[in-house]
Amino acid sequence: MTNAQETNVKQEPLSEQAFLDTLINLCDDLAWGRPASEDRLFALTKEGAGPKNYVRLAEAFGMMLVKVESREYHRSQLIEDLKTRNAELEEAHRLLAERNTHLMRTIQENYQTKKIVGQCEAMRKVIQLALTIARRPINTLILGPTGAGKEVIAKAIHFNSPRREGPFVAVNCTAIPDSLFESEMFGIEKGVATGVNARKGLIEEASGGTLFLDELADMTLPNQAKLLRVLEEREVLRVGSSKPVSVDIKLIAATNVNLEEAVRKGKFREDLYYRINVAEIRIPPLRDRGDDILLLAQLFLERHCAYMGRPRLSLSPAVCRQLLQYGWPGNVRELNNEMERAASLTIGNRVELSDLSTRIVPEEVRCRLLGTEPPISREGAAAPKAKMPIVQNYSLQEMERKLILEALDKTDGNKSKAAELLGITREGLRKKLLRMDISDKEIPHDSGRA
């Protein structure tokens, strides 16, 4: 019998029981995760394979099997995609952890005591005391004038302590309104007010690390009482909550106010003063730090030059003397700002007196050094004028030539500064030099500078 004849032979229908047994076996295979025979299922769907209703049941089962296999395929693809994304996330997490560790080490290195500029005896004592305090879990009070570097010392204590891996949370007490003090410092629960979500307070955020309270003397007496309770109980109560949260913090407070005097006047709580003043550090004002002024000035100058992408600048001897003589009421912060200004505005490769602000170098001193007339005073009277030399037989062009050469002489041949003194642009000065045929040999002290 040929294949065609075999195909044309009508398949004998299965009995009802045999059909059901075959279909049940296929269902068992699918239910237990065994490979189901598609050929056997296909045979059950052929016309005449069994009772008509049973054949329709087999067809429906076949369609269900196709859908199950399709879902299995999509699920396997989804699992593969999730595995790939999970591997990517794990790699990103690893890189982030490495960068975080590197950043933490960099910060710790930046606040090592050896990085703090302080060669004078007073600052050496401050640094040594800070290192000693860092090893102990005690509250610390840092006293010193504004801008003296109290936060730098606070960070040095934190990053040299066993808590270095924990957070360092700095809080400016002046910047927190009384109405927001509790929610900002202690936290708040969800639903206390419309649209308010639960969040931790700054004290809770600092748990396991250091809480730095700057300008502590500006805190009001009621808020001082709330802070005292936290320090005594070592727990905070969020706004809208009845369950306190334990905190573990090292407190460092700083102020430029004499707290002992504030206690006597009733402006600061005595019990809080003794609670925070377990150890005390007094930072000297910048004017009392001697040659530290020059070390800091050069450090700030180099830092700002690097940030601005310009070559390194040096300080002239006259500038060094002026920096040492100035009183520095703004302390280190003022010095940093002055060096930033010098790095921005200095034209040559060395900072001169003329590059400093009038706050550091008074106008009359600047005019005397540059040979220019001082400005009119506030009362409207001009300062005494130097006598002008009596000259005769000079044409206007000759006078202009003489004035240009004098400006170049006073600026040591620096054409940019000479143009500034003359009130013209450098390009205008260049054109005048060409027009008057003034060669480089005629320019006093010319060294080819800008």
Side-chain angles (χ1 to χ4, degrees), residues 235-284:
E235 61 183 22
V236 296
L237 188 64
R238 294 182 183 178
V239 176
S241 174
S242 58
K243 184 180 179 180
V245 180
S246 298
V247 291
D248 174 28
I249 59 172
K250 178 187 178 77
L251 178 69
I252 302 178
T255 181
N256 60 352
V257 175
N258 186 335
L259 288 185
E260 292 182 352
E261 183 67 23
V263 169
R264 284 194 294 270
K265 292 181 178 180
K267 296 181 178 180
F268 197 85
R269 292 181 63 98
E270 184 176 15
D271 47 4
L272 179 60
Y273 172 70
Y274 290 116
R275 172 64 65 176
I276 63 176
N277 194 12
V278 179
E280 182 179 287
I281 298 178
R282 292 182 179 270
I283 302 179

Side-chain angles (χ1 to χ4, degrees), residues 326 328-339 359-360:
Y326 182 62
W328 299 109
N331 294 286
V332 179
R333 185 179 294 119
E334 182 183 5
L335 177 60
N336 182 35
N337 292 342
E338 187 64 30
M339 291 302 101
R359 186 177 62 256
I360 310 299

